[in-house]
mmCIF file of all heavy atoms in Angstrom:
data_model
loop_
_atom_site.group_PDB
_atom_site.id
_atom_site.type_symbol
_atom_site.label_atom_id
_atom_site.label_comp_id
_atom_site.label_asym_id
_atom_site.label_seq_id
_atom_site.Cartn_x
_atom_site.Cartn_y
_atom_site.Cartn_z
ATOM 1 N N ILE A 100 13.439 24.831 141.869
ATOM 2 C CA ILE A 100 12.833 25.877 141.071
ATOM 3 C C ILE A 100 11.687 26.503 141.847
ATOM 4 O O ILE A 100 10.830 25.800 142.397
ATOM 5 C CB ILE A 100 12.268 25.301 139.762
ATOM 6 C CG1 ILE A 100 13.394 24.599 138.994
ATOM 7 C CG2 ILE A 100 11.631 26.375 138.915
ATOM 8 C CD1 ILE A 100 14.522 25.495 138.608
ATOM 9 N N LEU A 144 19.677 16.992 142.973
ATOM 10 C CA LEU A 144 19.110 15.875 142.242
ATOM 11 C C LEU A 144 19.811 14.564 142.604
ATOM 12 O O LEU A 144 20.972 14.552 143.011
ATOM 13 C CB LEU A 144 19.254 16.105 140.743
ATOM 14 C CG LEU A 144 18.590 17.347 140.155
ATOM 15 C CD1 LEU A 144 18.822 17.400 138.656
ATOM 16 C CD2 LEU A 144 17.107 17.355 140.459
ATOM 17 N N TYR A 198 27.716 13.196 137.807
ATOM 18 C CA TYR A 198 26.864 12.879 136.665
ATOM 19 C C TYR A 198 27.507 13.347 135.359
ATOM 20 O O TYR A 198 27.612 12.592 134.399
ATOM 21 C CB TYR A 198 25.509 13.532 136.870
ATOM 22 C CG TYR A 198 24.460 13.128 135.857
ATOM 23 C CD1 TYR A 198 24.292 11.797 135.498
ATOM 24 C CD2 TYR A 198 23.620 14.075 135.286
ATOM 25 C CE1 TYR A 198 23.323 11.418 134.586
ATOM 26 C CE2 TYR A 198 22.642 13.706 134.380
ATOM 27 C CZ TYR A 198 22.499 12.379 134.030
ATOM 28 O OH TYR A 198 21.541 12.013 133.118
ATOM 29 N N MET A 199 27.934 14.596 135.318
ATOM 30 C CA MET A 199 28.614 15.153 134.149
ATOM 31 C C MET A 199 29.338 16.418 134.572
ATOM 32 O O MET A 199 29.205 16.870 135.711
ATOM 33 C CB MET A 199 27.627 15.444 133.010
ATOM 34 C CG MET A 199 26.516 16.417 133.347
ATOM 35 S SD MET A 199 25.399 16.766 131.938
ATOM 36 C CE MET A 199 24.572 15.198 131.720
ATOM 37 N N THR A 200 30.107 16.995 133.676
ATOM 38 C CA THR A 200 30.798 18.238 133.998
ATOM 39 C C THR A 200 29.827 19.415 133.899
ATOM 40 O O THR A 200 28.763 19.323 133.279
ATOM 41 C CB THR A 200 31.975 18.487 133.044
ATOM 42 O OG1 THR A 200 31.465 18.779 131.738
ATOM 43 C CG2 THR A 200 32.905 17.281 132.974
ATOM 44 N N ASP A 201 30.227 20.540 134.483
ATOM 45 C CA ASP A 201 29.383 21.734 134.416
ATOM 46 C C ASP A 201 29.125 22.158 132.975
ATOM 47 O O ASP A 201 27.999 22.501 132.608
ATOM 48 C CB ASP A 201 30.052 22.899 135.169
ATOM 49 C CG ASP A 201 29.950 22.760 136.680
ATOM 50 O OD1 ASP A 201 29.266 21.834 137.148
ATOM 51 O OD2 ASP A 201 30.563 23.584 137.388
ATOM 52 N N GLU A 202 30.166 22.143 132.146
ATOM 53 C CA GLU A 202 29.989 22.596 130.769
ATOM 54 C C GLU A 202 29.119 21.627 129.977
ATOM 55 O O GLU A 202 28.299 22.049 129.147
ATOM 56 C CB GLU A 202 31.346 22.771 130.088
ATOM 57 C CG GLU A 202 31.245 23.460 128.729
ATOM 58 C CD GLU A 202 32.581 23.747 128.098
ATOM 59 O OE1 GLU A 202 33.632 23.447 128.718
ATOM 60 O OE2 GLU A 202 32.597 24.288 126.971
ATOM 61 N N GLU A 203 29.279 20.337 130.207
ATOM 62 C CA GLU A 203 28.412 19.368 129.544
ATOM 63 C C GLU A 203 26.954 19.604 129.913
ATOM 64 O O GLU A 203 26.056 19.562 129.059
ATOM 65 C CB GLU A 203 28.822 17.942 129.918
ATOM 66 C CG GLU A 203 30.104 17.471 129.264
ATOM 67 C CD GLU A 203 30.570 16.142 129.775
ATOM 68 O OE1 GLU A 203 30.337 15.836 130.967
ATOM 69 O OE2 GLU A 203 31.180 15.371 129.001
ATOM 70 N N ALA A 204 26.721 19.858 131.205
ATOM 71 C CA ALA A 204 25.350 20.110 131.662
ATOM 72 C C ALA A 204 24.782 21.378 131.045
ATOM 73 O O ALA A 204 23.614 21.423 130.630
ATOM 74 C CB ALA A 204 25.318 20.193 133.192
ATOM 75 N N GLN A 205 25.595 22.424 130.962
ATOM 76 C CA GLN A 205 25.129 23.681 130.382
ATOM 77 C C GLN A 205 24.753 23.495 128.912
ATOM 78 O O GLN A 205 23.696 23.969 128.461
ATOM 79 C CB GLN A 205 26.217 24.747 130.502
ATOM 80 C CG GLN A 205 25.828 26.117 129.962
ATOM 81 C CD GLN A 205 24.690 26.757 130.738
ATOM 82 O OE1 GLN A 205 24.651 26.680 131.966
ATOM 83 N NE2 GLN A 205 23.751 27.369 130.035
ATOM 84 N N LEU A 206 25.572 22.793 128.165
ATOM 85 C CA LEU A 206 25.285 22.574 126.746
ATOM 86 C C LEU A 206 24.053 21.699 126.554
ATOM 87 O O LEU A 206 23.252 21.925 125.635
ATOM 88 C CB LEU A 206 26.500 21.949 126.072
ATOM 89 C CG LEU A 206 27.719 22.871 125.932
ATOM 90 C CD1 LEU A 206 28.948 22.088 125.511
ATOM 91 C CD2 LEU A 206 27.438 23.996 124.943
ATOM 92 N N LEU A 207 23.869 20.714 127.414
ATOM 93 C CA LEU A 207 22.686 19.866 127.322
ATOM 94 C C LEU A 207 21.418 20.672 127.602
ATOM 95 O O LEU A 207 20.421 20.570 126.866
ATOM 96 C CB LEU A 207 22.802 18.712 128.311
ATOM 97 C CG LEU A 207 21.591 17.776 128.395
ATOM 98 C CD1 LEU A 207 21.314 17.104 127.061
ATOM 99 C CD2 LEU A 207 21.808 16.731 129.494
ATOM 100 N N LEU A 208 21.440 21.487 128.634
ATOM 101 C CA LEU A 208 20.268 22.298 128.974
ATOM 102 C C LEU A 208 19.954 23.292 127.861
ATOM 103 O O LEU A 208 18.791 23.483 127.497
ATOM 104 C CB LEU A 208 20.511 23.019 130.295
ATOM 105 C CG LEU A 208 20.504 22.137 131.545
ATOM 106 C CD1 LEU A 208 21.057 22.892 132.739
ATOM 107 C CD2 LEU A 208 19.095 21.627 131.853
ATOM 108 N N GLU A 209 20.965 23.911 127.320
ATOM 109 C CA GLU A 209 20.735 24.876 126.238
ATOM 110 C C GLU A 209 20.145 24.184 125.009
ATOM 111 O O GLU A 209 19.234 24.717 124.358
ATOM 112 C CB GLU A 209 22.040 25.573 125.880
ATOM 113 C CG GLU A 209 22.535 26.543 126.954
ATOM 114 C CD GLU A 209 23.899 27.122 126.626
ATOM 115 O OE1 GLU A 209 24.503 26.692 125.612
ATOM 116 O OE2 GLU A 209 24.373 28.001 127.385
ATOM 117 N N LEU A 213 16.406 24.681 127.878
ATOM 118 C CA LEU A 213 16.287 24.903 129.313
ATOM 119 C C LEU A 213 17.435 25.728 129.881
ATOM 120 O O LEU A 213 17.595 25.807 131.095
ATOM 121 C CB LEU A 213 16.218 23.548 130.038
ATOM 122 C CG LEU A 213 14.982 22.711 129.708
ATOM 123 C CD1 LEU A 213 15.121 21.313 130.276
ATOM 124 C CD2 LEU A 213 13.724 23.380 130.228
ATOM 125 N N GLY A 214 18.238 26.343 129.013
ATOM 126 C CA GLY A 214 19.285 27.219 129.508
ATOM 127 C C GLY A 214 18.677 28.402 130.247
ATOM 128 O O GLY A 214 17.777 29.057 129.748
ATOM 129 N N GLY A 215 19.153 28.669 131.433
ATOM 130 C CA GLY A 215 18.597 29.748 132.237
ATOM 131 C C GLY A 215 17.368 29.347 133.022
ATOM 132 O O GLY A 215 16.881 30.118 133.858
ATOM 133 N N VAL A 216 16.859 28.156 132.764
ATOM 134 C CA VAL A 216 15.697 27.659 133.509
ATOM 135 C C VAL A 216 16.142 26.781 134.671
ATOM 136 O O VAL A 216 15.684 26.930 135.794
ATOM 137 C CB VAL A 216 14.752 26.864 132.569
ATOM 138 C CG1 VAL A 216 13.605 26.246 133.346
ATOM 139 C CG2 VAL A 216 14.220 27.780 131.469
ATOM 140 N N VAL A 217 17.051 25.883 134.382
ATOM 141 C CA VAL A 217 17.609 24.989 135.398
ATOM 142 C C VAL A 217 19.095 25.300 135.534
ATOM 143 O O VAL A 217 19.812 25.321 134.532
ATOM 144 C CB VAL A 217 17.423 23.513 135.003
ATOM 145 C CG1 VAL A 217 18.054 22.595 136.036
ATOM 146 C CG2 VAL A 217 15.948 23.187 134.816
ATOM 147 N N PRO A 218 19.585 25.572 136.740
ATOM 148 C CA PRO A 218 21.021 25.826 136.905
ATOM 149 C C PRO A 218 21.832 24.615 136.459
ATOM 150 O O PRO A 218 21.537 23.478 136.844
ATOM 151 C CB PRO A 218 21.168 26.071 138.408
ATOM 152 C CG PRO A 218 19.802 26.465 138.881
ATOM 153 C CD PRO A 218 18.843 25.695 138.014
ATOM 154 N N HIS A 219 22.852 24.866 135.647
ATOM 155 C CA HIS A 219 23.617 23.727 135.141
ATOM 156 C C HIS A 219 24.324 22.976 136.252
ATOM 157 O O HIS A 219 24.535 21.765 136.171
ATOM 158 C CB HIS A 219 24.618 24.173 134.063
ATOM 159 C CG HIS A 219 25.706 25.067 134.562
ATOM 160 N ND1 HIS A 219 25.608 26.444 134.568
ATOM 161 C CD2 HIS A 219 26.929 24.767 135.078
ATOM 162 C CE1 HIS A 219 26.722 26.951 135.048
ATOM 163 N NE2 HIS A 219 27.532 25.967 135.368
ATOM 164 N N GLU A 220 24.682 23.690 137.329
ATOM 165 C CA GLU A 220 25.348 23.014 138.447
ATOM 166 C C GLU A 220 24.441 21.974 139.082
ATOM 167 O O GLU A 220 24.904 20.930 139.561
ATOM 168 C CB GLU A 220 25.766 24.029 139.509
ATOM 169 C CG GLU A 220 26.763 25.066 139.028
ATOM 170 C CD GLU A 220 26.078 26.318 138.489
ATOM 171 O OE1 GLU A 220 24.852 26.265 138.220
ATOM 172 O OE2 GLU A 220 26.767 27.342 138.342
ATOM 173 N N THR A 221 23.150 22.235 139.088
ATOM 174 C CA THR A 221 22.205 21.292 139.675
ATOM 175 C C THR A 221 22.225 19.973 138.927
ATOM 176 O O THR A 221 22.208 18.892 139.524
ATOM 177 C CB THR A 221 20.786 21.888 139.651
ATOM 178 O OG1 THR A 221 20.774 23.103 140.406
ATOM 179 C CG2 THR A 221 19.771 20.925 140.246
ATOM 180 N N VAL A 222 22.279 20.044 137.605
ATOM 181 C CA VAL A 222 22.299 18.827 136.796
ATOM 182 C C VAL A 222 23.670 18.151 136.879
ATOM 183 O O VAL A 222 23.770 16.936 137.066
ATOM 184 C CB VAL A 222 21.940 19.145 135.337
ATOM 185 C CG1 VAL A 222 22.078 17.916 134.465
ATOM 186 C CG2 VAL A 222 20.525 19.714 135.253
ATOM 187 N N ALA A 223 24.722 18.921 136.741
ATOM 188 C CA ALA A 223 26.073 18.343 136.744
ATOM 189 C C ALA A 223 26.359 17.588 138.030
ATOM 190 O O ALA A 223 27.032 16.546 138.018
ATOM 191 C CB ALA A 223 27.111 19.447 136.540
ATOM 192 N N ARG A 224 25.819 18.073 139.145
ATOM 193 C CA ARG A 224 26.122 17.481 140.447
ATOM 194 C C ARG A 224 25.026 16.545 140.948
ATOM 195 O O ARG A 224 24.957 16.234 142.129
ATOM 196 C CB ARG A 224 26.401 18.591 141.457
ATOM 197 C CG ARG A 224 27.736 19.276 141.191
ATOM 198 C CD ARG A 224 27.877 20.586 141.943
ATOM 199 N NE ARG A 224 29.205 21.186 141.737
ATOM 200 C CZ ARG A 224 29.609 21.775 140.623
ATOM 201 N NH1 ARG A 224 28.796 21.858 139.580
ATOM 202 N NH2 ARG A 224 30.824 22.272 140.520
ATOM 203 N N ALA A 225 24.170 16.104 140.048
ATOM 204 C CA ALA A 225 23.186 15.097 140.431
ATOM 205 C C ALA A 225 23.908 13.888 141.015
ATOM 206 O O ALA A 225 24.934 13.444 140.496
ATOM 207 C CB ALA A 225 22.352 14.681 139.221
#
Side-chain angles (χ1 to χ4, degrees):
I100 303 299
L144 300 181
Y198 188 45
M199 59 178 68
T200 69
D201 284 354
E202 189 175 358
E203 287 173 328
Q205 182 64 41
L206 291 169
L207 176 61
L208 289 167
E209 290 175 355
L213 296 170
V216 175
V217 178
H219 66 269
E220 298 91 345
T221 300
V222 175
R224 289 166 176 74

